[in-house]
Amino acid sequence: MAAFLVLGIGLGWTLAREERCISSQFRKPGDYLLGGLFPLRVLTTSAMDRTLPDVYMCERLYATGLVWALGMKFAVEEINNSTTLLPGIKLGYNIYDDCSEPIVALQPSLLFLTRTGSNRIGVLCNYTDYQPRVLAVIGPHSSQLCTVTAKLFSFFLIPQISYGATSQKLNSEEMYPSFFRTVPSDKIQLDAMVELLTSFKWNWIAVIGSDDEYGREGLSLLSSMAVSKSICVAYEGLIPADVLSPDFDKTLVSTIESVNKTNVNVIVLFSNDRTVRALFKECLRLGLGKKVWLATEAWVMSDVVTSLGRVDSIGTVIGFIIKAGNVSSFHEYAIRLFELSQQKSFCEASQKEANEVGSDVLGSQCPQCDQASLETIKGVLEHRQTFAVYTAVYSVAHALHNALGCESGRCNKSSVKPWQLLEEMKTLNFSTRNQSFQFDRYRSINKGYEVIGWSWKDGQIKYTTLGEFNGKLNINKSLLLFHTENQQKPTSQCLTTCQPGQIRRMKGFHLCCYDCIDCEKGTFCSSREDSACTPCPEHQWSPKRSTRCYDRSEKYLFWLEPLSLILLGLLFLALALTCLTGALFLKNLHTPVVQAAGGAMSLLALSSLAMMCVSTSLHIGKPSPTICKLSQPFFALCLNVCFSTILVKAFQIVLVHDFANSRRTFLHTLIQKQPWSIVASCLLAESLFCYWFVYDVPPVVVRNYALLPTQVLIQCKIESWPAFALIHGYNGILAFTSFLCTFMVQMPAKKYNVARGITFTMIAYFIALVFFIPTYTSVKQEYQPAVQMAAILLCTLGLLACLYLPKCYIIWFKPDRNTTEYFQDYTQERLEEKDCQD
């Protein structure tokens, strides 16, 4: 039942009521005989059912093949009536049915190889003088048949001119030296198809091919070409070319389900027309959604496909057909032939003429053709491939014209061997129907393709020319009405081209379909084809989704940034207060209040505080090796001078307070009479520590690329934290000693408490230290210089506020208290009392 539905569609032979003698039109005697292989009928038995080497059953008429065969007959008769081409020469032909099956095509092919006037093939060592029955062969139409017959004819170097075989494999002159064709190869059609896909931005497609030479090669070529154009083949599969195959239906269902899973909207179908019809029928039965079908010339205009019921529901069909000339007179010729084939006298004459060709070793070629009516072939009379048949016949005629040396309206009827005709074919350049033709280096004629689309009007199919392809695609998209609701182009895309700064990551199992991933910060992607982001060099950076890297800017505490300006403001405040205090102390050096603060030593302490303020500026600006070496020792030495003078005063207080009744010793003398030696000793010890710090483990300038995303942080790196702790810890010991010496000291009432000032001064220092350590370790590294600067200024202001500014207040605002009675040094009193007792 399936075979009947597939193979008997649109043929119309059962409607004929009168017998015709069409079958007798396939033989004609002549001076030179041409062979013809055409699909006049369709095979109705499965190759798997054949158990004996008997005849295949070909019982269904194939109207398109009949029209092609009549096209050859028309061309031969037109040449025979010509006065310029082969004048005085009559061409004959012997046309046979190939049933679109290689084994069936071999039977007439062997007959063509028999000696002229016999049914035997000579087995010879040298076939140079061998004269086969035919001089050249026209056909067959399919690549699968040609790959079989071309090997056979190439052995005898008999020119074979196909009007439909497009396989790229047939380009090989080494394998098929006598093969020619009047159509382009599949490569040209596939170039056009790929450009069409690119033009509509369809890069997510399915490809289906029939399991024969034509389908397999088309599928393979298209898949390889698609990758180079960033077109992703979501599914590719083969379906049996033989519709009578036992697993045909099962394979169709599996293929349709697989295509449906991919969610593609565009399907390329590389197949013969009978397989396409069966596939479409199954799609309609299973309810496959409407798709865009890209058709090859093998089926886009086939009545086998277009006559299928409800085929207009399949979706949008866009196809390619070979450009052809206009053979307008062929239509009238076919109509007249069908009218004559009903006349008894014409049929008798035709049969008599056919018998002159030779014995009918293969029997009647097409008994079903005698039952065909004009209605049977009316729909395919305009088939473009008929012109390819017409051109093939004319190519042989022109080659024979050259081989016979026809000149001045006469030809020499001499013996021409097939290999001699082949030599003429290789360099042939001829014209017909006002068109010039020449076989290219692959022995093909390429006139390009027309792009057509299916449309429907009153239930009848209409072919709309959309554009053309002749090395470049030109298409008018406005003429194409798609199956979508708004008749606009459906989308069928898979992301294969990423944006700049993105890399491709394979999507699922589809090697040519990708997800696009943004390159992270610090990496870049210079090519859209890259599969991995490239890290930037250490000295450069990049933002997210970048195509290049940029040089890092330098980062340090700049002079004019807001934080620096605030700190500089505090610096000038602290420096101004220190200098004013020093000036005021200098002016009132011999007053009791200044003498109580330490006298000349207080001036030294204030000078060191001023230098300490200045040292904070070393933390602003671009670090250098010298600055890194000096910033910490400079601060430590200045602070040491200040603390050593305070320590002397603290020693004096504790000596008088706690050891006033003790026997005088060298320590008493040193503290009271030689305080400068204590200051010098402290400074000498700190200097030794700083010397070791600077020359053995100095800080170094480092460029930190990992910390900031777009900048390089230039900073001083402490190489030895123990050494750092030593130079600052020593000052901390001096401060803590001073604090211990003055913490518990009680001063008499109505006396200025010098010890209490030192105590609070040391507390202020410890507060600054407590602020500095956790803040420095937790703050971002780019702000650490500012933290150090702030800690130094805080320490300076603390010392001023707790120790020196109260005395300035008395000098400036309370001069009545700047008396010996109020500022009588407690230590001096106790020492005088001690001297009296002694």
Side-chain angles (χ1 to χ4, degrees):
M1 178 61 71
F4 176 79
L5 291 174
V6 173
L7 303 174
I9 315 201
L11 303 179
W13 61 274
T14 58
L15 300 176
R17 291 293 182 268
E18 298 180 11
E19 290 285 335
R20 291 177 170 83
C21 56
I22 296 296
S23 61
S24 63
Q25 307 301 312
F26 300 138
R27 292 183 184 178
K28 183 180 181 66
D31 300 320
Y32 300 94
L33 203 63
L34 304 181
L37 294 173
F38 293 89
L40 302 176
R41 296 172 297 171
V42 176
L43 188 68
T44 55
T45 58
S46 174
M48 297 182 66
D49 297 335
R50 186 169 180 259
T51 58
L52 296 173
D54 54 1
V55 179
Y56 275 94
M57 299 300 293
C58 302
E59 297 178 351
R60 301 283 183 246
L61 179 66
Y62 185 56
T64 305
L66 174 58
V67 170
W68 293 341
L70 295 180
M72 178 177 176
K73 174 179 172 62
F74 169 73
V76 171
E77 292 183 7
E78 191 176 73
I79 293 168
N80 287 342
N81 293 327
S82 173
T83 57
T84 57
L85 182 60
L86 293 176
I89 300 296
K90 295 297 179 181
L91 292 179
Y93 52 80
N94 206 349
I95 297 174
Y96 285 93
D97 180 21
D98 59 34
C99 275
S100 297
E101 288 294 329
I103 297 179
V104 177
L106 277 176
Q107 291 176 314
S109 297
L110 291 173
L111 181 63
F112 293 157
L113 297 177
T114 60
R115 287 182 183 273
T116 303
S118 73
N119 296 328
R120 298 181 179 86
I121 300 177
V123 179
L124 306 173
C125 294
N126 189 339
Y127 284 90
T128 303
D129 296 324
Y130 186 78
Q131 188 70 58
R133 177 183 292 258
V134 298
L135 193 61
V137 178
I138 307 299
H141 71 293
S142 75
S143 300
Q144 185 177 15
L145 269 63
C146 284
T147 53
V148 176
T149 59
K151 281 282 190 179
L152 192 60
F153 295 135
S154 292
F155 179 77
F156 292 87
L157 293 182
I158 298 176
Q160 176 185 0
I161 304 92
S162 174
Y163 51 87
T166 56
S167 173
Q168 188 79 0
K169 183 186 295 185
L170 294 167
N171 285 352
S172 175
E173 188 173 4
E174 182 180 357
M175 295 179 65
Y176 310 104
S178 66
F179 178 81
F180 295 81
R181 54 186 165 199
T182 54
V183 293
S185 70
D186 285 333
K187 176 66 167 57
I188 308 300
Q189 183 176 203
L190 289 172
D191 285 338
M193 195 170 289
V194 169
E195 278 210 32
L196 180 70
L197 291 169
T198 305
S199 173
F200 283 102
K201 297 181 180 179
W202 291 326
N203 58 16
W204 183 240
I205 65 170
V207 182
I208 302 174
S210 53
D211 194 6
D212 55 14
E213 186 67 32
Y214 178 71
R216 286 191 297 270
E217 184 172 330
L219 188 147
S220 176
L221 278 174
L222 180 60
S223 297
S224 61
M225 293 171 65
V227 173
S228 63
K229 295 293 184 178
S230 297
I231 297 172
C232 189
V233 179
Y235 171 81
E236 61 178 53
L238 293 171
I239 53 179
D242 183 5
V243 296
L244 300 176
S245 174
D247 59 345
F248 184 77
D249 292 338
K250 182 179 178 181
T251 305
L252 284 186
V253 172
S254 175
T255 299
I256 294 170
E257 290 177 349
S258 298
V259 170
N260 213 23
K261 290 178 182 178
T262 62
N263 295 322
V264 299
N265 286 321
V266 178
I267 303 174
V268 180
L269 193 47
F270 236 94
S271 177
N272 60 65
D273 51 4
R274 289 179 295 162
T275 305
V276 171
R277 177 187 173 89
L279 178 65
F280 280 1
K281 184 177 180 180
E282 195 65 26
C283 287
L284 295 173
R285 186 185 72 81
L286 294 175
L288 180 69
K290 291 184 177 182
K291 306 289 184 181
V292 176
W293 299 86
L294 296 192
T296 62
E297 46 79 30
W299 65 269
V300 67
M301 294 186 69
S302 173
D303 62 317
V304 172
V305 179
T306 57
S307 61
L308 176 66
R310 297 174 49 229
V311 73
D312 56 323
S313 303
I314 203 69
T316 303
V317 177
I318 307 172
F320 298 87
I321 56 173
I322 299 166
K323 279 187 178 180
N326 183 18
V327 193
S328 56
S329 53
F330 174 67
H331 192 278
E332 290 76 16
Y333 170 81
I335 295 174
R336 187 173 70 253
L337 179 63
F338 267 78
E339 291 175 351
L340 291 173
S341 63
Q342 289 182 303
Q343 298 178 11
K344 184 177 180 180
S345 59
F346 176 81
C347 290
E348 290 177 350
S350 297
Q351 187 62 47
K352 182 180 178 181
E353 190 177 46
N355 292 335
E356 294 178 8
V357 177
S359 59
D360 190 0
V361 294
L362 297 179
S364 177
Q365 280 305 289
C366 184
Q368 292 81 4
C369 294
D370 294 335
Q371 297 174 339
S373 66
L374 191 59
E375 290 297 322
T376 306
I377 65 169
K378 185 177 180 180
V380 292
L381 274 177
E382 302 297 332
H383 200 289
R384 300 297 184 90
Q385 212 157 347
T386 306
F387 187 78
V389 177
Y390 181 84
T391 307
V393 175
Y394 263 86
S395 67
V396 175
H398 279 279
L400 181 59
H401 184 93
N402 295 339
L404 294 176
C406 299
E407 293 180 357
S408 304
R410 294 184 59 187
C411 292
N412 298 319
K413 292 184 181 180
S414 59
S415 175
V416 176
K417 302 295 187 297
W419 61 267
Q420 293 175 316
L421 185 68
L422 179 62
E423 292 300 316
E424 295 294 337
M425 293 283 294
K426 291 179 180 179
T427 58
L428 186 62
N429 192 339
F430 65 99
S431 298
T432 182
R433 296 279 173 173
N434 298 320
Q435 292 190 57
S436 60
F437 299 92
Q438 185 175 11
F439 292 104
D440 60 22
R441 59 178 181 148
Y442 299 117
R443 304 174 310 285
S444 304
I445 291 178
N446 177 21
K447 286 295 182 179
Y449 285 88
E450 285 187 24
V451 186
I452 65 170
W454 285 9
S455 58
W456 300 87
K457 186 176 182 181
D458 300 328
Q460 298 293 321
I461 191 169
K462 179 184 177 183
Y463 302 109
T464 304
T465 299
L466 306 174
E468 63 178 8
F469 178 83
N470 198 353
K472 184 178 181 182
L473 182 68
N474 294 306
I475 187 171
N476 187 351
K477 297 180 181 179
S478 63
L479 297 176
L480 188 56
L481 301 178
F482 289 96
H483 59 268
T484 53
E485 290 184 4
N486 55 5
Q487 295 185 329
Q488 296 299 308
K489 176 193 72 172
T491 59
S492 189
Q493 292 185 331
C494 173
L495 198 59
T496 58
T497 303
C498 295
Q499 297 300 315
Q502 293 182 321
I503 59 171
R504 303 187 306 175
R505 182 169 294 169
M506 190 176 73
K507 184 176 183 179
F509 298 100
H510 305 291
L511 297 178
C512 62
C513 189
Y514 299 87
D515 287 325
C516 289
I517 309 299
D518 293 342
C519 282
E520 296 296 331
K521 295 178 180 179
T523 63
F524 72 99
C525 175
S526 59
S527 171
R528 295 183 181 182
E529 303 302 317
D530 288 348
S531 58
C533 296
T534 305
C536 289
E538 187 180 52
H539 65 282
Q540 292 184 321
W541 72 280
S542 68
K544 188 175 183 179
R545 196 172 166 178
S546 178
T547 58
R548 53 166 293 191
C549 292
Y550 304 89
D551 290 335
R552 289 177 179 267
S553 59
E554 294 181 339
K555 173 64 178 174
Y556 45 83
L557 195 61
F558 291 94
W559 284 95
L560 296 180
E561 63 179 280
L563 181 59
S564 298
L565 295 176
I566 293 173
L567 292 172
L568 286 172
L570 291 175
L571 185 154
F572 288 125
L573 174 63
L575 184 61
L577 289 175
T578 304
C579 292
L580 289 174
T581 300
L584 190 60
F585 272 38
L586 181 63
K587 183 178 180 181
N588 299 275
L589 180 63
H590 299 291
T591 63
V593 66
V594 175
Q595 291 299 315
M601 282 191 180
S602 63
L603 294 178
L604 177 62
L606 288 170
S607 299
S608 68
L609 285 180
M611 295 299 293
M612 194 164 68
C613 289
V614 173
S615 73
T616 58
S617 63
L618 296 176
H619 297 283
I620 302 178
K622 185 176 181 179
S624 66
T626 302
I627 290 176
C628 288
K629 288 180 180 180
L630 296 181
S631 59
Q632 298 299 332
F634 194 84
F635 163 65
L637 288 171
C638 292
L639 187 61
N640 182 268
V641 171
C642 181
F643 279 0
S644 62
T645 60
I646 296 174
L647 180 65
V648 169
K649 194 66 178 177
F651 279 162
Q652 290 176 350
I653 292 173
V654 74
L655 184 66
V656 172
H657 182 269
D658 294 330
F659 301 98
N661 298 323
S662 63
R663 186 173 56 86
R664 295 180 65 88
T665 62
F666 172 76
L667 184 61
H668 288 74
T669 306
L670 180 65
I671 294 173
Q672 293 296 329
K673 305 300 182 180
Q674 301 294 330
W676 287 104
S677 62
I678 298 176
V679 174
S681 299
C682 292
L683 182 61
L684 177 61
E686 182 68 20
S687 299
L688 293 174
F689 294 149
C690 290
Y691 179 85
W692 174 60
F693 179 79
V694 169
Y695 286 97
D696 284 354
V697 284
V700 294
V701 179
V702 295
R703 303 175 71 88
N704 192 332
Y705 295 98
L707 185 65
L708 302 175
T710 64
Q711 298 172 303
V712 49
L713 178 63
I714 304 177
Q715 58 184 159
C716 295
K717 181 183 178 182
I718 302 299
E719 289 290 283
S720 175
W721 285 103
F724 177 84
L726 181 62
I727 63 172
H728 292 293
Y730 177 66
N731 287 330
I733 293 173
L734 296 182
F736 187 69
T737 303
S738 300
F739 174 79
L740 291 178
C741 290
T742 60
F743 180 67
M744 299 300 294
V745 173
Q746 297 294 326
M747 295 292 288
K750 298 182 180 180
K751 296 289 183 177
Y752 185 84
N753 196 337
V754 179
R756 189 65 66 226
I758 295 174
T759 301
F760 281 108
T761 300
M762 295 303 106
I763 291 175
Y765 168 73
F766 293 136
I767 290 174
L769 200 63
V770 169
F771 160 78
F772 168 73
I773 293 175
T775 305
Y776 184 85
T777 56
S778 61
V779 78
K780 293 181 179 180
Q781 291 187 34
E782 60 264 35
Y783 298 118
Q784 286 179 350
V787 172
Q788 291 190 58
M789 189 174 177
I792 294 172
L793 292 174
L794 181 62
C795 179
T796 303
L797 291 172
L799 290 172
L800 287 172
C802 295
L803 188 61
Y804 298 107
L805 291 183
K807 297 177 176 59
C808 292
Y809 174 79
I810 293 174
I811 294 173
W812 194 264
F813 296 104
K814 302 290 183 177
D816 56 307
R817 295 185 180 181
N818 191 4
T819 62
T820 303
E821 292 76 13
Y822 185 80
F823 263 99
Q824 180 65 51
D825 195 336
Y826 181 63
T827 60
Q828 184 65 30
E829 290 180 359
R830 297 300 298 267
L831 288 173
E832 288 176 354
E833 292 177 2
K834 175 67 177 173
D835 291 338
C836 293
Q837 294 175 0
D838 292 340

